[in-house]
Amino acid sequence: DQQVKQNSPSLSVQEGRISILNCDYTNSMFDYFLWYKKYPAEGPTFLISISSIKDKNEDGRFTVFLNKSAKHLSLHIVPSQPGDSAVYFCAATRGGSNYKLTFGKGTLLTVNP
Amino acid sequence: DGGITQSPKYLFRKEGQNVTLSCEQNLNHDAMYWYRQDPGQGLRLIYYSQIVNDFQKGDIAEGYSVSREKKESFPLTVTSAQKNPTAFYLCASRLRGLAGELFFGEGSRLTVL
């Protein structure tokens, strides 16, 4: 049972335009959400996170939106750059002593010059 | 520099052999994690440990074993009981008690011949 879903395996965007990556979750106990970026043969690097008490968090070109009623979050990258080309993973967790991240399957973003 | 070191980066194993992947961190993090990545599968949790001398099974623990004798070390043994061991293995850590991101190592690629 996949609790975190990224339904788009890939996304292609022109440089300078907006990239929107989507993520859905099924576990209503999740209260903290993260986005990671990953290049081939490397470990994921943290991008941005959001707590369930917020509906938006922004960090430079990256903004994450959370819609709790729809159990949906999205990552917006504006403007997109060729260096943003990577696999993006959505992750979710429930706070507390048993802290662990559940990841989606990832979306491969390609930003074309 | 502080970080997480995984070794070896590449490992080849014959069927029926056990292998141990090393993970060392000097971030003074309490919690450590092992994930496995397969193409199109995202990251799946194998084992995690919140404190020394304690660890819990993740979603795909069968065929794996771990130990946590020291705070900075969390080795993963892939046993011969693991049916499909060829994968990219990622170790991560975080400070316990804070909602926040996991920091990942560079990964180890295991190939079973």
Side-chain angles (χ1 to χ4, degrees):
Chain A
D1 178 32
Q2 203 179 348
Q3 298 186 70
V4 178
K5 300 177 183 178
Q6 294 178 256
N7 292 319
S8 298
S10 63
L11 174 68
S12 185
V13 171
Q14 282 299 118
E15 181 178 4
R17 305 293 291 268
I18 184 171
S19 296
I20 300 177
L21 296 99
N22 293 304
C23 178
D24 298 292
Y25 61 96
T26 58
N27 189 338
S28 58
M29 300 301 292
F30 287 149
D31 58 8
Y32 193 72
F33 306 89
L34 307 91
W35 285 93
Y36 279 83
K37 175 180 177 180
K38 186 182 181 301
Y39 295 114
E42 294 185 8
T45 54
F46 170 73
L47 270 178
I48 192 169
S49 62
I50 188 166
S51 165
S52 60
I53 63 173
K54 294 185 175 182
D55 54 19
K56 177 182 174 181
N57 190 25
E58 194 171 353
D59 184 1
R61 296 186 297 114
F62 302 92
T63 303
V64 56
F65 296 91
L66 176 63
N67 182 333
K68 284 186 294 183
S69 60
K71 294 192 177 68
H72 176 83
L73 61 155
S74 60
L75 174 68
H76 293 211
I77 306 174
V78 183
S80 301
Q81 300 172 354
D84 295 329
S85 297
V87 176
Y88 289 78
F89 289 101
C90 171
T93 185
R94 173 183 175 181
S97 60
N98 198 29
Y99 192 96
K100 56 181 178 177
L101 297 187
T102 299
F103 285 83
K105 292 187 176 184
T107 297
L108 173 63
L109 173 65
T110 303
V111 180
N112 301 302
Chain B
D1 283 355
I4 300 176
T5 302
Q6 291 187 238
S7 62
K9 192 167 178 64
Y10 299 97
L11 184 61
F12 296 89
R13 181 193 102 175
K14 293 182 180 178
E15 279 193 32
Q17 289 181 335
N18 292 357
V19 292
T20 298
L21 306 180
S22 170
C23 179
E24 303 279 329
Q25 54 97 1
N26 59 4
L27 299 167
N28 200 31
H29 286 175
D30 303 286
M32 296 187 74
Y33 304 78
W34 275 104
Y35 283 87
R36 167 180 171 148
Q37 185 190 13
D38 296 281
Q41 288 294 321
L43 279 65
R44 294 182 291 169
L45 183 62
I46 305 172
Y47 268 98
Y48 61 110
S49 167
Q50 305 288 357
I51 56 172
V52 175
N53 292 323
D54 187 42
F55 49 83
Q56 290 81 39
K57 292 182 179 180
D59 301 317
I60 54 165
E62 185 175 351
Y64 299 98
S65 66
V66 293
S67 63
R68 188 83 189 278
E69 297 176 2
K70 299 186 296 182
K71 185 176 184 178
E72 58 270 21
S73 179
F74 192 41
L76 173 74
T77 297
V78 184
T79 76
S80 56
Q82 168 49 232
K83 290 182 170 43
N84 297 296
T86 294
F88 189 57
Y89 291 87
L90 287 157
C91 180
S93 69
R94 66 176 285 267
L95 272 174
R96 190 172 175 226
L98 294 175
E101 70 268 29
L102 272 58
F103 294 85
F104 283 87
E106 291 295 301
S108 293
R109 166 73 61 183
L110 172 63
T111 302
V112 174
L113 304 174

